[in-house]
Amino acid sequence: MTALLEIEGLHLGMQSFDGEAHVLNGIDLTIRRGEVWGVVGETGCGKSLTGLSVSRLVPTPPARYRAGRILFEGQDVLAMPEGELRKLRGRHIGMIFQDPTTNLNPSFRIGDQLVDVALAAARHSERITRAAARDLAARMLDKVGIPNAASRLDDYPHQFSGGMRQRVLIAMALIGRPSLLIADEPTTALDVSVQAQVLALLKGMVAETGMAVMLITHNLGVVAQSCTHVAVMYAGNIVESGRVAQVIRAPRHPYTQALLAAIPTRHVARGALQGLAGSVPDLLAPPPGCRFAPRCAHARAACAVLPASVTVEEGHRVACVLAHA
Amino acid sequence: MIRFLLRRLLLTVPVLVGLTALVFIIGRMLPGDPVALAAGPNASAAEIADVAREFGLDRPLLTQYGSYLSGLMRGDFGVSIFTRRPVAEDLAAFLPATLELVFAAMFIAVAIGLPMGLATAVWRDRWPDAVSRVAALGAISMPRFFLGLLLQLGFAMWLGWLPLSGRFPITEDPPPWVTGFLTIDALVAGDGYAFGVACQHLLLPALAMSLSPLATIMRMMRASTLEVLQQDYVLTERALGLSRSLILFKYVSRNAVAATLTVIGLYFGWLLGGTVLVETVFDWPGIGLYATKSVVSQDFMPVIGVTLVIGTIFVFANLLVDVMQGLVNPRVRVE
């Protein structure tokens, strides 16, 4: 299978009052058609910035791309003029964000917003009429499970519940039939019961369209349930990546192991849950070499040099000196 | 919507009654003796008393207020003790001129202020933004009558492009009265020449009045646009491939205008009250000039009448803004 998205050695600096923070420190990630990638990591590890970078939505300044390429279907997104980018967005790359209450424009009927996205996506291929776009919008709403879809096109966002709004946003992200969907914590702001529904919906849409997905989350449970692959991020690096079965069943990086050890299960006795000591490094002055070393139980002299990512088995890559041996 | 309007209309009644009481009492407690002034310099005490009796000014204040209120119900604003003309007739004659001026000024302020606010937000911290910031500060700080004098000096005296003052040349026939707005009446009559002349006269005073609201509207629009641009839904709209102009002119501007509407409504009332000075400078035959002349001659009935009319329009302008808020922002729409 050919690669749909290839991120190679992506370095991103973010200007702040105290200097430039080195927030993405050489990201390598390849997503092929049909793969569902979970990108996990704690707050501030750079997972959202990685997702936004794919559509080049990170504002520059304050951000600055220092090195690397992002190839979407072989074309470098970082080198594209704005007009080319717009053809990509919505039509080839769909995006869903965290909070459905703030991601729909409150002053416009959802039909209006859906139709405009559909028209924008069709603008670069076969043009469609507004009426046709409206039909398409109604069909999409119906697909994402909104009852009486056609009549609800004329409703405003505040007339929908949080879960329903996320369904509308999913319909909006998919109306241009993108080949890659980037979902940035799409269920974090929802009730647990609604989370399950939205995840099931996403899964169904992926199965139906065969699109590739980059699901950004901090919930390993979501990854285990819905993804085929996973990339674990820590402080601007992908420390481990591979098939979900490989990474979750046999984690090789100490950070992945620590993350998994911190998940409560039925068999863990009260008080036996292991947290991770220390806190994420200051990205204005990150530790040299491996950024996880200060918190790592296995840290050694060799960690002072940034460990290269090595393949430990087919498709399973780990960036740790432990795996080098 | 109908119920919302009715409730708001009902709420305006106590406001307006309170306004009449306040204005009436203040009008009567002003120093000076308008009756003696109206009776003439050589009037005897008996003649002055006759004038007072003729206008009912010898009765207790509360009785006078009562009869004034009952007169208002019938559309009677009392009689000027100076010209002995009914105030209602004078108001009907002068109000259209003032409204035309205020509408023109508001039109200029909104038509230029909103787009400029949007533009300066997009060009934030670049030179057009910096220039507009200084200009806006100047425009807000400068007194309107002074600005009016400067405009007269520049465009009427030096350049000679526009007439110095007045509303229509005395030597020519104005278009037949339909609405009282000369520009509209000229259009109704199909008189292009009269329309041009009316616009020429309107331009300078309207400019003088519009600059300060224009600057405020622009700054408000800039601030609210910047706020809207930070919203999550703008990122979503960009992420899904909507063009920059569609996002800005359709999706961002409506949200930003909603926040600016309140200021526009407030300014409408503020302009009405503020026409007094500009109308005096430009010799514009509106209620402001009428009020000035009445104040000078201590003729309180017209003063009370003008205040009431301005207050009433102010209240309704705010009501209109609330209705428009509902049109722009679906969340404040009342079922």
Side-chain angles (χ1 to χ4, degrees), chain A residues 83-104:
Chain A
E84 291 294 306
L85 274 174
R86 220 173 284 142
K87 289 186 196 167
L88 217 59
R89 295 176 186 153
R91 186 174 166 221
H92 294 287
I93 304 175
M95 293 191 90
I96 309 170
F97 298 98
Q98 180 171 347
D99 189 351
T101 56
T102 57
N103 276 297
L104 282 166

Side-chain angles (χ1 to χ4, degrees), chain A residues 94-141:
Chain A
M95 293 191 90
I96 309 170
F97 298 98
Q98 180 171 347
D99 189 351
T101 56
T102 57
N103 276 297
L104 282 166
N105 193 319
S107 303
F108 290 85
R109 303 172 198 280
I110 60 152
D112 245 11
Q113 307 187 40
L114 281 161
V115 163
D116 275 337
V117 173
L119 288 175
R123 188 179 48 202
H124 305 292
S125 47
E126 75 293 5
R127 285 178 175 273
I128 53 173
T129 63
R130 244 193 131 73
R134 209 179 143 82
D135 281 347
L136 182 60
R139 281 206 305 279
M140 281 308 294
L141 276 192

Side-chain angles (χ1 to χ4, degrees), chain A residues 57 86 89-90 95 97 102-108 112-113 116-117 120 123 130 156 158 172-173, chain B residues 231-233 235-244 246 250-252 254-255 328-331 333:
Chain A
L57 286 166
R86 220 173 284 142
R89 295 176 186 153
M95 293 191 90
F97 298 98
T102 57
N103 276 297
L104 282 166
N105 193 319
S107 303
F108 290 85
D112 245 11
Q113 307 187 40
D116 275 337
V117 173
R123 188 179 48 202
R130 244 193 131 73
Y156 288 92
H158 69 272
M172 217 154 113
Chain B
Q231 298 295 317
D232 287 344
Y233 52 78
L235 180 64
T236 302
E237 285 156 6
R238 285 181 53 211
L240 295 181
L242 298 194
S243 71
R244 212 174 136 77
L246 186 70
K250 180 172 177 183
Y251 286 106
V252 169
R254 186 186 288 187
N255 287 285
V328 179
N329 183 352
R331 282 165 301 176
R333 227 169 270 172

